[in-house]
Amino acid sequence: MGLGVPIIIPVSKPSKGAAGKTGLWRVERPVVDEDKCIKCWLCWLYCPEDVITEGPNGFPQIDYTFCKGCGVCADVCPTKAIQMIKEEE
Amino acid sequence: MTLTIHDLRKEPGSYLPGSAACPGCGATLAFRIASRVLGPNTVYVVPASCFSVIQSPFPKSAISAPLYNIAFPAAAATASGVYRAYKMLGRDVNVVVWAGDGGTVDIGIQALSGAAERGEDIIYVCYDNEAYMNTGIQRSGATPLMAWTKTTPTGKREMPKDMPMIVAAHRVPYVATASVGYPFDLANKFEKAKKMKGFRYIHIFSTCPPGWNSPVSKTAEVAKLAVDTYFWPLYEIENGKLRITVKPRKRPLKEFLELQDRFRGLSDEQIEELEKIVMEKWNFLLHLEKSERVF
Ligand SMILES: Cc1ncc(C[n+]2csc(CCOP(=O)(O)OP(=O)(O)O)c2C)c(N)n1
Ligand code: SF4
Ligand code: SF4
Ligand code: SF4
Ligand SMILES: [Mg+2]
């Protein structure tokens, strides 16, 4: 029996950047100083956005496409290896 | 076995970067870590809340695990049905409610209590940002005494409901409090809950920078201080036996309150009163820890 109306099942599909390139929200950018980093991975643990991974050189690497610039990583880093730098206009 | 940072880093989570969550969102941090422990064999049920929005707009989703969005009061009832449906299909799946405090301590409490009493095989998680945040910071039954919200402009006058104890009074196998400031403690509680059967409940203190007016970068710090000032004690109740899981580092309550504008303007007497209430609760927990069973 046809209902005569289209039936839409609203199922969303998993995707990175589901809300767009959230890196554009950033006012300050976290920058890792590898000389100070002790690879404790606390920045990774506490990053709400899950944008920190291990880079090819074994140090934390930040995905700036999605990093929202909250600064939590810099706040929890025990050696102050992460600096928050103002984004250019 | 206790989980380490290396264990957590090995496991894939179910959160994908670039969601609609505010910068520094505690609820997102809680989900990121919990989903790594729960693993991909997990189905989430989410009632109306910030977490509905964090998933981001249709047709995309920031959550890579199956997730069912459901009406505000219905999360625990829905999860009960989802678990039974999988069981009929012969599949053993973690069915997890991921709900806000409003959806738990107020609007969802009836379905939650029913599911707990029936002993449904689900994990119910309340991420607690201590107000109705998604609709613009209205007070909930979990908002702390004296906290500002848009509906408590002079500070809340009532005590919050003690939800973990309310659930524990149902004599369920597992109840735990957690905080995004203590992610290892949080992860280990999920690890424990995952391995148990029956109704399990985890209540997570989740910083909300726009709702609490706390600095965005201080999401972890606020949630650490909540524990270290005795404001949010971390404990678990396993088969009736209570155990305090983290010893607070004895910080003055003021340090926690000062980081959030929702507590701005409290007088010294009010802070003293809050301190007294907090310490009474702590001493009560110490007392309960000595009992064979709390319920
Ligand atoms: C029955 C019903 N009443 C009200 C609403 C509007 N509403 C949607 S989310 C929300 C607040 C949820 O608060 P909470 O559960 O604490 O989650 P939070 O948004 O704080 O994460 C409200 C009131 C609704 N969707 N359904
Ligand atoms: S928290 Fe600091 S020291 Fe630790 S891994 Fe990150 S940048 Fe390195
Ligand atoms: S600024 Fe925030 S989102 Fe960006 S890497 Fe640090 S913790 Fe993650
Ligand atoms: S309002 Fe609070 S809980 Fe909701 S998304 Fe923003 S930070 Fe997270
Ligand atoms: Mg809430």
Side-chain angles (χ1 to χ4, degrees):
Chain A
M1 191 185 71
L3 293 171
V5 285
I7 297 172
I8 300 163
I9 302 170
V11 178
S12 292
K13 293 277 186 297
S15 164
K16 257 190 170 186
K21 292 198 167 78
T22 51
L24 294 168
W25 302 2
R26 210 169 44 238
V27 184
E28 286 177 329
R29 157 189 297 252
V31 177
V32 181
D33 179 347
E34 293 176 358
D35 291 335
K36 286 191 188 161
C37 173
I38 54 167
K39 297 186 186 170
C40 67
W41 299 104
L42 285 177
C43 53
W44 169 84
L45 182 66
Y46 284 101
C47 168
E49 207 48 37
D50 213 352
V51 292
I52 302 181
T53 49
E54 187 171 333
N57 57 359
F59 286 98
Q61 187 177 53
I62 296 168
D63 182 351
Y64 292 116
T65 314
F66 300 118
C67 161
K68 293 171 179 168
C70 64
V72 170
C73 53
D75 196 60
V76 299
C77 174
T79 62
K80 305 256 171 297
I82 303 180
Q83 285 258 359
M84 298 302 291
I85 316 272
K86 274 244 166 324
E87 291 284 355
E88 298 299 321
E89 290 298 307
Chain B
M1 198 198 84
T2 41
L3 293 176
T4 64
I5 201 158
H6 306 292
D7 300 324
L8 286 176
R9 283 185 65 208
K10 270 188 284 187
E11 299 304 327
S14 302
Y15 176 78
L16 302 172
S19 80
C22 311
C25 172
T28 306
L29 174 54
F31 183 84
R32 244 199 81 208
I33 295 167
S35 71
R36 279 178 185 263
V37 182
L38 291 164
N41 186 35
T42 304
V43 174
Y44 296 90
V45 176
V46 173
S49 57
C50 271
F51 217 78
S52 326
V53 177
I54 292 167
Q55 290 164 53
S56 308
F58 179 80
K60 291 181 179 171
S61 171
I63 310 302
S64 58
L67 185 154
Y68 193 39
N69 287 294
I70 192 69
F72 221 151
T78 306
S80 307
V82 168
Y83 178 77
R84 285 162 190 231
Y86 274 111
K87 200 173 164 198
M88 282 178 78
L89 294 172
R91 287 181 57 188
D92 192 20
V93 173
N94 303 314
V95 178
V96 176
V97 173
W98 193 269
D101 49 298
T104 301
V105 318
D106 299 331
I107 302 177
I109 195 170
Q110 181 273 133
L112 160 57
S113 173
E117 187 259 342
R118 293 191 305 274
E120 299 288 350
D121 216 346
I122 60 175
I123 302 177
Y124 191 111
V125 182
C126 172
Y127 71 90
D128 187 359
N129 50 26
E130 304 194 321
Y132 291 79
M133 292 310 180
N134 181 42
T135 39
I137 328 178
Q138 294 83 19
R139 59 90 89 188
S140 78
T143 302
L145 187 69
M146 298 182 203
W148 172 94
T149 65
K150 285 199 183 143
T151 47
T152 54
T154 54
K156 193 184 175 203
R157 305 209 174 147
E158 301 81 19
M159 283 288 288
K161 302 182 193 179
D162 193 338
M163 198 61 202
M165 285 296 175
I166 292 173
V167 181
H170 291 69
R171 298 175 68 105
V172 298
Y174 191 69
V175 171
T177 60
S179 161
V180 295
Y182 278 88
F184 293 117
D185 178 75
L186 186 153
N188 280 296
K189 283 167 174 166
F190 274 90
E191 176 76 0
K192 192 173 253 185
K194 186 176 122 176
K195 292 189 175 140
M196 293 174 82
K197 287 271 164 209
F199 192 91
R200 292 140 287 168
Y201 180 82
I202 300 179
H203 195 121
I204 311 173
F205 183 90
S206 305
T207 317
C208 174
W212 300 356
N213 227 326
S214 55
V216 181
S217 63
K218 293 288 178 190
T219 283
E221 181 68 11
V222 170
K224 266 185 217 169
L225 279 170
V227 176
D228 289 332
T229 60
Y230 300 92
F231 182 88
W232 187 258
L234 296 180
Y235 62 88
E236 63 184 7
I237 304 173
E238 197 179 340
N239 296 315
K241 177 90 187 109
L242 184 141
R243 189 173 73 87
I244 291 164
T245 57
V246 171
K247 262 218 170 85
R249 286 175 217 181
K250 300 188 182 174
R251 310 298 312 167
L253 185 61
K254 222 179 165 142
E255 284 184 17
F256 167 71
L257 302 174
E258 270 172 1
L259 273 178
Q260 311 156 70
D261 269 3
R262 65 176 174 155
F263 291 114
R264 195 167 59 182
L266 293 191
S267 64
D268 287 348
E269 292 78 52
Q270 281 176 307
I271 294 175
E272 241 170 67
E273 190 190 334
L274 271 181
E275 225 155 24
K276 196 170 143 256
I277 292 171
V278 160
M279 288 319 289
E280 265 169 21
K281 167 83 189 279
W282 174 253
N283 288 324
F284 181 54
L285 288 173
L286 288 177
H287 174 73
L288 290 180
E289 201 176 29
K290 292 193 198 104
S291 326
E292 225 21 77
R293 276 195 83 99
V294 297
F295 287 107

